[in-house]
Amino acid sequence: MSQNTQQLMLFCTAIVLFVTACLYGQQSVSVLSSALSSTMNTTENMEGRMSTTLNISKPLRYSGAEVLHTVRQMTGTPVEVHVDGNTYAIDPLINKSATIPVSVSASYRPEFIRSESGELLKIAFWKEASIN
């Protein structure tokens, strides 16, 4: 084979390898992007802090036990917890027997108040009237 033919074959091989590497890189970026989007959606659904859709099948309701747990869990954080208009902060390490007037069997509607940047400032629980 002549020198020119050999160089042409090497040049064509280099071009094919370069185009293949570019296409593989583009595919890898799209796969990573979709994986990141999936992870973000899963994380948002687990934490309940952000909602990316307006599709709500039923209104969110908390039982009284969940309200009590939330009040105890939020103690020591800058997030205020209001139950029926009253602010409560119970530190389970200081006073284990402290409670708040919550009916364990009742249903409460949560209201999440956020700042303009999306930071959670306050959680308010409102007792719903029972239909009996």
Side-chain angles (χ1 to χ4, degrees), residues 16-66:
V16 168
L17 288 175
F18 177 74
V19 170
T20 304
C22 289
L23 292 174
Y24 180 74
Q26 183 181 10
Q27 180 188 12
S28 296
V29 167
S30 69
V31 167
L32 288 174
S33 176
S34 67
L36 186 61
S37 296
S38 175
T39 302
M40 182 183 71
N41 289 336
T42 303
T43 303
E44 287 175 356
N45 291 336
M46 286 189 329
E47 293 180 2
R49 292 185 181 163
M50 302 290 274
S51 179
T52 57
T53 65
L54 296 175
N55 184 11
I56 299 174
S57 59
K58 67 176 186 173
L60 183 64
R61 300 289 181 254
Y62 281 30
S63 69
E66 290 174 316

